[in-house]
């Protein structure tokens, strides 16, 4: 009898797991709560140009799975046009350069701690002391407030979060993926031609008959010889394997009675630290990219220089963000945004782990290694490139390989 895998979530991780298992002869059912594929890759077309609501950038030299997937589906990328970046602090704008000599000593000191990071495990005995607020971590190793703020402005592009709210361990893991802190700051960024969501759409194309949109899973139950998924409309779908790829911040809404430790549900309910969204607007004239650490916010233009975008969290007013970046608040009066914290299917943007959450995430990822019949495998819990499209591809492929025993 053909074995059956149920995949919860039709983002990049879920589609990758489903495709890999289907290619090996498995029956697959993909349950997606929303009306589209892609998860937090979500591209909108506005007056003939693209505005990314979620994931946007890839690093060709560091994301081999993304590049391989794009190549298979004949999707191209384009480098970002060369542009200056301005750093704003205390209302003053100055040229920003990741090669700034004043940053190099701090970057070298951070790289020492990267030797403590295990790429395969979120947290270990060697690095658990790094699981503290990133601002606190920096204050302990850098005495200059100006240098700290300059560095925090750059790291805001990776975290989208207040440095007092996210863990140093999380961002150091990002630096480890790049190879060094310096490389993370200066790595060349590319956009996917046709929009980031085009990859998910391409992954979903061979899975049309397996995909069920607007099907929200509310519970998973174990049976003596398999598992049942119960949906919000009381359907029961039985399978041999369940792979959960929905975002970390939504896991608490999925009833998993066989997981008796409440830590995962509690951490998910609190949510990770990233409450940011992209606010697209129509500037009166083109502007250079801008970054600020007080508050954490950044601004850039789309590839056509038609629209501008500010990334800020939902606790920072549009006026405060615009003023921090030297932009007119009027620019944001009619901004277009998808607020991920208000999206019931996401409840947050890309993964930015809080202090104390790394151990919970590590345990969630390890579930599949212990028993491949039930796995949590999304970009959020992936130990490799967490929160990135690369991490989603890794998580989906790894989950499928665990099921297949490879």
């Amino acid at each position: 009898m053909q074995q059956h895998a149920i995949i919860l979530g039709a983002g990049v991780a879920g589609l990758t797991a489903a495709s890999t298992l289907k290619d090996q002869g498995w029956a697959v059912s993909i349950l997606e709560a929303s009306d589209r594929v892609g998860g937090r890759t979500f591209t909108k077309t506005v007056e003939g140009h693209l505005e990314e609501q979620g994931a946007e950038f890839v690093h060709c030299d560091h994301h081999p799975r993304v590049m391989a997937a794009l190549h298979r589906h004949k999707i191209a990328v384009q480098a970002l046009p060369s542009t200056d970046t301005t750093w704003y602090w205390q209302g003053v704008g100055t040229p920003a350069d990741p090669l700034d000599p004043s940053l190099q000593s701090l970057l070298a000191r951070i790289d020492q701690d990267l030797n403590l990071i295990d790429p395969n495990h979120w947290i270990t005995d060697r690095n658990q002391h790094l699981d503290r607020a990133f601002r606190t971590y920096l204050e302990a190793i850098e005495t200059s407030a100006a240098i700290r703020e300059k560095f925090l402005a750059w790291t805001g592009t990776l975290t989208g979060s207040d440095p007092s709210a996210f863990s140093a361990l999380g961002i150091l893991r990002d630096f480890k993926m790049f190879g060094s802190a310096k490389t993370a700051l200066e790595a060349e960024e590319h956009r996917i031609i046709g929009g980031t969501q085009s990859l998910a759409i391409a992954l979903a194309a061979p899975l049309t008959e397996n995909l069920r949109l607007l099907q929200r899973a509310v519970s998973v139950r174990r049976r003596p010889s398999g598992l049942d998924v119960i949906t919000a409309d009381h359907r029961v779908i039985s399978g041999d394997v369940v792979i959960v790829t929905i975002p970390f911040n939504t896991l608490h809404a999925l009833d998993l009675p066989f997981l008796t430790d409440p830590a995962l549900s509690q951490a998910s309910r609190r949510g990770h630290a990233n409450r940011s969204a992209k606010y697209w607007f129509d500037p009166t004239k083109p502007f250079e990219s801008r970054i600020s650490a007080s508050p954490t916010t950044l601004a850039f233009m789309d590839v056509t220089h038609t629209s501008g975008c500010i990334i800020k969290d939902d606790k920072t007013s549009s006026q405060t963000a615009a003023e921090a970046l030297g932009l007119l608040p009027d620019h944001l009066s009619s901004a277009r945004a998808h607020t991920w914290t208000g999206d019931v299917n996401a409840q947050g943007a890309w993964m930015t782990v809080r202090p104390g959450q790394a151990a919970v995430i590590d345990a969630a990822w390890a579930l599949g290694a212990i028993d491949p019949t039930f796995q949590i495998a999304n970009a959020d819990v992936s130990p490799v490139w967490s929160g990135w499209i690369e991490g989603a591809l890794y998580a989906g492929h790894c989950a499928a390989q665990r099921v297949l025993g490879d």
Side-chain angles (χ1 to χ4, degrees):
M1 181 180 293
Q2 189 178 33
Q3 292 180 293
H4 182 208
I6 305 170
I7 316 295
L8 305 187
V12 171
L15 295 169
T16 299
S19 178
T20 304
L21 290 172
K22 185 176 181 179
D23 287 347
Q24 295 299 313
W26 279 63
V28 296
S29 298
I30 309 165
L31 307 185
E32 168 55 47
S34 75
D35 61 356
R36 62 175 181 84
V37 301
R40 285 166 288 178
T41 60
F42 184 20
T43 308
K44 288 185 177 181
T45 301
V46 178
E47 297 181 355
H49 64 274
L50 303 179
E51 293 182 356
E52 299 287 4
Q53 308 303 305
E56 182 164 1
F57 303 112
V58 298
H59 296 274
C60 299
D61 295 337
H62 303 281
H63 294 163
R65 297 172 186 85
V66 174
M67 299 312 298
L70 293 173
H71 179 74
R72 283 196 304 273
H73 296 286
K74 298 180 171 57
I75 301 173
V77 299
Q78 60 187 145
L80 270 62
S82 179
T83 180
D84 293 331
T85 298
T86 301
W87 168 54
Y88 280 84
W89 187 43
Q90 297 179 345
V92 178
T94 57
D97 182 359
L99 300 180
D100 186 331
S102 69
L103 289 175
Q104 301 315 303
S105 176
L106 174 58
L107 295 178
R109 173 62 186 83
I110 290 172
D111 282 351
Q112 293 177 20
D113 284 335
L114 299 192
N115 295 322
L116 305 177
I117 302 297
D118 181 346
N120 299 310
H121 297 281
W122 272 87
I123 189 168
T124 66
D125 290 342
R126 294 184 68 211
N127 60 38
Q128 60 184 352
H129 65 285
L130 301 174
D131 190 21
R132 52 181 166 151
F134 189 49
R135 186 178 289 280
T136 302
Y137 166 82
L138 282 183
E139 288 173 348
I141 63 174
E142 174 55 62
T143 58
S144 167
I147 293 175
R148 290 198 304 268
E149 291 300 306
K150 187 177 296 188
F151 182 65
L152 288 172
W154 280 108
T155 58
T157 65
L158 295 175
T159 65
S161 180
D162 183 337
S164 297
F166 67 84
S167 173
L169 182 59
I171 192 169
L172 291 182
R173 291 186 60 79
D174 263 3
F175 295 158
K176 182 75 171 183
M177 294 296 112
F178 278 105
S180 70
K182 178 182 177 182
T183 303
L185 298 193
E186 63 183 11
E188 185 178 17
E189 295 177 317
H190 289 72
R191 286 188 173 102
I192 296 174
I193 295 177
T196 307
Q197 193 180 358
S198 63
L199 176 57
I201 292 170
L203 290 169
L207 298 166
T208 302
E209 64 183 23
N210 310 99
L211 179 60
R212 306 183 193 181
L213 299 177
L214 298 174
Q215 287 291 304
R216 183 182 306 282
V218 296
S219 181
V220 180
R221 296 283 193 273
R222 281 201 179 276
R223 294 180 287 106
S225 58
L227 299 103
D228 289 334
V229 173
I230 297 91
T231 66
D233 57 0
H234 309 295
R235 298 185 188 187
V236 178
I237 304 168
S238 299
D240 301 288
V241 166
V242 172
I243 300 174
V244 179
T245 68
I246 61 176
F248 176 81
N249 282 6
T250 68
L251 289 172
H252 65 90
L254 183 64
D255 184 30
L256 303 169
F258 49 88
L259 297 185
T260 56
D261 186 345
L264 176 61
S265 179
Q266 291 169 353
S268 168
R269 189 177 299 278
R270 186 186 183 199
H272 60 66
N274 192 341
R275 303 181 60 84
S276 67
K278 293 180 174 179
Y279 295 79
W280 290 93
F281 62 95
D282 302 314
T284 54
K285 61 181 180 180
F287 61 88
E288 78 286 353
S289 298
R290 304 170 181 212
I291 55 177
S292 169
S294 302
T296 300
T297 184
L298 61 144
F300 54 88
M301 297 203 71
D302 80 315
V303 69
T304 67
H305 276 212
T306 302
S307 295
C309 180
I310 285 183
I311 300 180
K312 70 177 188 67
D313 69 33
D314 58 2
K315 295 181 180 179
T316 302
S317 71
S318 295
Q319 179 169 340
T320 298
E323 290 176 348
L325 294 165
L327 295 169
L328 296 174
D330 290 349
H331 284 155
L332 295 183
S333 59
S334 58
R336 303 171 292 275
H338 183 87
T339 53
W340 292 104
T341 52
D343 182 337
V344 68
N345 300 316
Q347 300 181 36
W350 69 91
M351 183 59 158
T352 306
V353 63
R354 293 182 185 275
Q357 289 182 336
V360 175
I361 296 167
D362 213 35
W365 176 253
L367 290 172
I370 299 168
D371 179 5
T373 63
F374 176 81
Q375 301 190 53
I376 297 174
N378 52 38
D380 292 344
V381 304
S382 170
V384 175
W385 288 106
S386 174
W388 297 76
I389 303 172
E390 180 77 5
L393 288 165
Y394 174 83
H397 180 75
C398 186
Q401 294 304 313
R402 285 169 165 176
V403 170
L404 297 171
D406 294 347

